Amino acid sequence: MLEDLRLTEDESPVYRRLADAIAERIAAGTLAVGDRLPPQREIARALGINVTTVTRALSTLQEQGLLEARPGRGTTVAARDIVERPGFVSAPSDQSGIIDLSVNRPPTSAYLDAVAALMPRLSKDRHYASLQDYHPPEGPLWGRVAVADWLKPVAGDGDPGRVVLAAGAQHGLDCVLGAVTRDGEVILADEVTYQGINALCRVHGLDLRGVAMDRGGMRPDAFEAACAQLRPRAVFLVPTLHNPTTITLSEQRRHELAAVARRHNVLIIEDDVYRPLADDAPPSFASLEPELTIHLGALSKCLAPGLRLGFVIAPRPIAGQVAAALRINCWSISPLTALIGARLIEEGAAARIIDIQKQELRQRQAILSEILSRFDIQSHPTSTHAWLRLPEPWRGAGFARTCLERGVAVLPGDAFAVGREPVQHGVRINVGAARSQEDLRSALTTMAELLAAGHLQLPGFV
């Protein structure tokens, strides 16, 4: 199976050369679907390399969908449908030669600069001594006050009793679903939406169903029909700079959807993590329907994903249930994270970082518009991402795979699909993910060439 495996002699990392050698055997059919690889120690011993190097190589192949690891079965070659299906991407690739536009991340180092200035002063902070103690599951009061004041115009009316601090919006969403849903209940969402809701609904035993969209977002008539037929517990919405399409629901559309939710007594789970990046966003669902809406926010998209601080703002009874779920999950979040976030907010550094991020995003979106304007691209001047609807004959997975072969990583529409229904043939392009504007320009130029070439670049074309 891996007998006579030889690594190329070049300057690339050993783990990368090992991953490439195994990938070549999979492509050639020498390693077939279901074949189990030898234990990592055996591979390391045969090649005279470290076990950690083998581990990293196999992890790289798992991220690419070529291998899968299951308890009791070891590491095996993945089935073709797993290879074709995009996985949940949560960290930028460090693979040499790849410009990774698949992960949503802010485009500047403004957060690092602000934290570097803040850290030397933290030990003098009045709350510093409390960092070594346990804290209530909803988070320290001073942290919730900072968030409540910051989001007073958006949700919660400045009441810290309605705020629960979480380790990011995904963690907050996990605790919300654990608090307000029961196994088997139906959750509605846009037919393409943020990947994390899919995984969480599976974990919680929930039936996630997609609702038809148009270019204005979720269609109220389709939402009404789904409520009447499926009697859902909640609807999950990303109303501002939607992930992945960048749609921002108009105020009228928000009122229409809120009216449907009110008629059918459906909770609104509002994931509004991109709101701080939007100019003049319409009123939140939390302000339109405060007793029916659970508002989710975070500092990941507007400041930095490494600052794992999210927040749930909900009616007090629901906030108490979310806090109870969080206590079971992790007791409480790190008070150090809460203190850093609170200080950045209260001292105005968060607002300055957001302004810097938006300025850079405007420049990057202008580059995207310049290079891809002749294609069906949907975006926003301050969005971290854009949605490209692919022309014939391209399909999402095939285009993403061909882009990767050319050194550009993007996520196909299938990654955001709810259920198994056919989805738009598109890809999400994360303009903020490129390490520089030059890298972004290079990656987009490659994509434009592929789009223009059409069928001549389809995988397997002869």
Side-chain angles (χ1 to χ4, degrees):
M1 184 182 299
L2 293 184
E3 294 84 357
D4 304 322
L5 187 68
R6 296 290 182 268
L7 306 186
T8 58
E9 296 292 339
D10 57 43
E11 297 181 356
S12 62
V14 176
Y15 87 91
R16 182 69 260 164
R17 285 184 275 148
L18 175 57
D20 289 344
I22 296 174
E24 287 177 4
R25 295 206 170 189
I26 293 173
T30 307
L31 284 172
V33 171
D35 281 351
R36 183 163 59 184
L37 271 62
Q40 294 182 22
R41 291 189 181 277
E42 289 186 16
I43 299 175
R45 185 166 52 249
L47 296 174
I49 59 178
N50 295 327
V51 174
T52 53
T53 300
V54 177
T55 301
R56 189 173 185 187
L58 299 189
S59 295
T60 299
L61 294 171
Q62 288 177 43
E63 291 172 2
Q64 296 174 0
L66 296 175
L67 299 178
E68 59 177 332
R70 294 182 181 178
R73 290 186 54 192
T75 301
T76 60
V77 177
R80 190 65 187 170
D81 63 336
I82 294 177
V83 175
E84 296 293 335
R85 187 176 63 244
F88 188 93
V89 179
S90 59
S93 171
D94 62 356
Q95 185 175 342
S96 176
I98 298 295
I99 301 175
D100 191 348
L101 305 184
S102 67
V103 175
N104 253 343
R105 59 182 295 274
T108 79
S109 62
Y111 165 75
L112 293 177
D113 298 338
V115 171
L118 173 65
M119 292 300 284
R121 299 187 283 111
L122 274 189
S123 63
K124 304 294 191 297
D125 192 280
R126 66 186 184 278
H127 299 303
Y128 182 77
S130 71
L131 297 186
Q132 67 179 346
D133 294 326
Y134 285 113
H135 288 267
E138 62 269 22
L141 178 60
W142 41 263
R144 291 183 286 120
V145 167
V147 170
D149 288 345
W150 189 45
L151 291 180
K152 185 176 181 178
V154 177
D157 296 326
D159 178 7
R162 298 183 62 176
V163 176
V164 178
L165 301 183
Q170 175 78 356
H171 181 223
L173 180 56
D174 184 16
C175 294
V176 166
L177 294 177
V180 304
T181 67
R182 296 181 179 179
D183 184 78
E185 288 186 319
V186 172
I187 306 295
L188 300 180
D190 293 303
E191 59 187 347
V192 293
T193 192
Y194 164 61
Q195 300 161 291
I197 187 66
N198 277 290
L200 286 177
C201 283
R202 287 196 297 270
V203 168
H204 288 279
L206 301 171
D207 184 5
L208 182 65
R209 300 291 190 94
V211 179
M213 306 168 66
D214 57 26
R215 294 202 177 217
M218 182 178 287
R219 286 171 31 202
D221 62 324
F223 181 35
E224 180 89 56
C227 287
Q229 179 183 356
L230 301 173
R231 307 178 73 86
R233 171 61 172 151
V235 59
F236 173 81
L237 294 167
V238 185
T240 309
L241 301 181
H242 177 268
N243 183 13
T245 66
T246 77
I247 293 169
T248 292
L249 295 174
S250 68
E251 183 171 353
Q252 178 180 348
R253 181 68 62 96
R254 294 175 191 232
H255 278 285
E256 292 169 350
L257 293 172
V260 174
R262 190 185 317 117
R263 281 196 295 274
H264 294 273
N265 194 31
V266 174
L267 285 174
I268 301 170
I269 301 175
E270 178 179 36
D271 186 345
D272 221 10
V273 294
Y274 296 100
R275 171 177 282 272
L277 295 174
D279 294 323
D280 302 320
S284 67
F285 282 98
S287 64
L288 299 177
E289 284 290 336
E291 298 308 311
L292 203 60
T293 300
I294 302 171
H295 183 90
L296 292 167
L299 300 183
S300 300
K301 301 303 185 292
C302 59
L303 299 192
L307 180 59
R308 304 307 302 150
L309 184 60
F311 23 87
V312 178
I313 302 178
R316 275 180 172 256
I318 294 179
Q321 294 172 342
V322 173
L326 190 146
R327 179 178 61 80
I328 295 169
N329 181 283
C330 67
W331 194 269
S332 66
I333 71 162
S334 165
L336 176 58
T337 299
L339 184 58
I340 292 172
R343 288 296 157 264
L344 292 178
I345 290 171
E346 292 177 341
E347 295 177 3
R352 291 191 293 273
I353 294 169
I354 291 169
D355 286 341
I356 293 171
Q357 308 283 34
K358 291 170 71 172
Q359 180 179 354
E360 176 70 15
L361 286 169
R362 285 190 176 93
Q363 295 177 19
R364 294 186 177 218
Q365 289 286 353
I367 293 172
L368 179 137
S369 179
E370 171 195 339
I371 297 174
L372 295 182
S373 60
R374 58 195 173 115
F375 302 103
D376 189 356
I377 192 85
Q378 187 162 1
S379 191
H380 183 278
T382 57
S383 174
T384 61
H385 56 281
W387 180 245
L388 171 66
R389 293 180 175 87
L390 295 169
E392 289 287 352
W394 285 113
R395 300 294 182 264
F399 183 74
R401 186 168 56 252
T402 305
C403 283
L404 189 59
E405 292 170 356
R406 299 296 185 89
V408 179
V410 292
L411 273 184
D414 289 355
F416 307 94
V418 173
R420 301 176 63 86
E421 296 302 316
V423 297
Q424 305 172 27
H425 292 295
V427 293
R428 188 185 71 180
I429 304 169
N430 297 100
V431 299
R435 298 298 178 179
S436 67
Q437 292 187 17
E438 291 73 21
D439 276 358
L440 177 64
R441 182 176 291 277
S442 174
L444 295 176
T445 299
T446 296
M447 294 177 66
E449 292 171 352
L450 291 173
L451 290 166
H455 68 279
L456 296 178
Q457 295 296 332
L458 279 174
F461 182 83
V462 178

